Amino acid sequence: MPIILEPTDLSIQRAAEAMRAGRAVAFPTETVYGLGALTHDPRGIAEVYRMKWRPSNNPLIAHVLDAHGAREIVEGWDPRCDELTSRLWPGPLTLVLPRRANVPVEAAGGRATIAVRSPSCPVARRLLQELGGESISAPSANRSGHVSPTLASHVAEDFASELDLMILNGGRSEFGLESTVLDLTTARPTLLRPGTVTLESLRQILGDVDAPELMEQGASPGTAPRHYAPRTPAVLVPINGMRAALALEPRPCAVLCFDPSHVPSPHTDITMPRDARLYASILYDALRSADTLGCARILIEMPPSADGLWRAVVDRLRRATA
Ligand code: AMP
Ligand code: MG
């Protein structure tokens, strides 16, 4: 198994040293755990793609300390970024901007743009500081297409065969869903991936924001129809429809629903919170637990809303069940 390290000053130094030597390291963020390497080191970037089995055209998010760090890797500076970054950074908002020519194209999946965000998680920030503010490119620390990790143990499970991988332990990720991705290189700002920073809050700052239904992997690979998926086949069930759906299931199922009384034996109930923020923070852990039960299917009750933070939850549920 990989090595899980408590985030002491010494382990942060070791992690930074490994990155400077061209290796990938896993670390916590407030969204999900990341598998990171120095943005400017193609050796480390290659390691990230190899370990994740990630297609080389799926770009990475660059993590920086602040807007100053972002300006080192983007070309020009869109004036809208000032307000966005002063209000929402550090935090779970990723901006897609023109890539500066000195950023290796491998770190951007071959694109002329680069996605950048500033994490608020203290362990991630200490690692960035230890690296003198150099940018870390990091996708989620899971095998490609699998459920994202929100605990250090999730990372260790996905990369069990990577004996030398260092994982900094930051406990449970605060938000538990990948960042909101906003493209500022299009004619109008475009929401590529909903997240904890809601569409509504972006519209308050920017006015118009396009929010196309992206179920195809073109504009942004995180929009592939099947992604964030457990290994057991999973299906979405309409709100309050669980009893009826389970009546048709001959074999034991794992069930994520709001009311445990809707789940008779032999099915296994995993009760989900009705609060969107709490729901988001435990969703991936619940999907991973459901996967370990050896059930024929995972049934997931549709959330009560598709607005605000629920938009991001529903987006991930649709991809997990596609
Ligand atoms: P992950 O960090 O694993 O959640 O993956 C990062 C996701 O951010 C990718 O799958 C894309 O959806 C999105 N992304 C990163 N860079 C870009 C970019 N240059 N243009 C559009 N989307 C991007
Ligand atoms: Mg990912």
Side-chain angles (χ1 to χ4, degrees):
M1 285 292 256
I3 319 149
I4 297 182
L5 296 172
E6 291 313 307
T8 60
D9 288 347
L10 187 62
S11 3
I12 300 264
Q13 282 162 17
R14 280 180 62 192
E17 258 166 44
M19 283 181 162
R20 287 209 194 85
R23 289 173 51 199
V25 169
F27 62 97
T29 85
E30 70 278 21
T31 59
V32 300
Y33 276 70
L35 180 66
L38 292 183
T39 301
H40 289 279
D41 190 341
R43 293 173 306 171
I45 300 292
E47 193 68 357
V48 168
Y49 279 92
R50 178 194 67 75
M51 285 176 58
K52 277 203 62 152
W53 306 333
R54 187 173 177 99
S56 61
N57 63 354
N58 188 343
L60 311 178
I61 294 174
H63 294 69
V64 296
L65 275 174
D66 48 28
H68 176 78
R71 292 177 84 142
E72 304 275 308
I73 58 173
V74 310
E75 187 57 48
W77 186 246
D78 188 311
R80 294 168 295 185
C81 292
D82 282 326
E83 175 125 34
L84 286 167
T85 60
S86 66
R87 288 176 60 169
L88 298 167
W89 277 13
L93 173 67
T94 296
L95 300 172
V96 174
L97 294 162
R99 174 174 57 88
R100 204 191 264 203
N102 70 350
V103 176
V105 68
E106 296 92 330
R111 293 176 186 234
T113 54
I114 182 102
V116 61
R117 89 173 185 96
S118 174
S120 62
C121 169
V123 178
R125 297 188 68 78
R126 282 165 61 205
L127 183 58
L128 283 164
Q129 248 137 16
E130 184 66 34
L131 289 163
E134 260 206 71
S135 155
I136 300 173
S137 288
S140 51
N142 52 274
R143 298 275 196 198
S144 201
H146 193 215
V147 179
S148 296
T150 53
L151 288 169
S153 57
H154 294 163
V155 182
E157 281 156 26
D158 269 32
F159 296 104
S161 59
E162 298 286 345
L163 303 182
D164 296 333
L165 173 66
M166 258 186 248
I167 304 169
L168 291 172
N169 190 3
R172 188 183 291 278
S173 297
E174 181 186 356
F175 298 123
L177 286 185
E178 303 79 3
S179 59
T180 304
V181 180
L182 180 72
D183 191 348
L184 289 174
T185 66
T186 41
R188 291 200 302 187
T190 305
L191 183 73
L192 294 180
R193 178 170 74 185
T196 312
V197 170
T198 61
L199 178 61
E200 291 81 353
S201 65
L202 292 173
R203 284 188 170 145
Q204 258 174 25
I205 296 173
L206 297 170
D208 250 358
V209 175
D210 279 346
E213 283 276 305
L214 295 171
M215 272 313 248
E216 265 171 48
Q217 175 171 353
S220 194
T223 61
R226 184 172 171 79
H227 206 90
Y228 316 112
R231 301 199 161 98
T232 313
V235 287
L236 267 176
V237 170
I239 182 120
N240 291 322
M242 196 53 80
R243 264 189 234 272
L246 286 172
L248 302 172
E249 289 291 340
R251 291 170 298 173
C253 294
V255 183
L256 274 62
C257 78
F258 297 101
D259 186 342
S261 74
H262 293 181
V263 186
S265 68
H267 307 296
T268 304
D269 154 63
I270 300 177
T271 307
M272 298 300 288
R274 290 179 192 274
D275 175 75
R277 208 167 160 121
L278 283 178
Y279 188 110
S281 72
I282 66 160
L283 172 62
Y284 289 149
D285 199 17
L287 286 176
R288 282 175 178 261
S289 304
D291 239 354
T292 63
L293 295 172
C295 290
R297 301 221 280 174
I298 302 173
L299 268 55
I300 308 171
E301 184 176 5
M302 198 68 175
S305 156
D307 295 330
L309 182 50
W310 285 117
R311 181 188 307 275
V313 170
V314 170
D315 172 79
R316 302 310 188 277
L317 290 179
R318 285 174 56 206
R319 294 179 208 284
T321 55

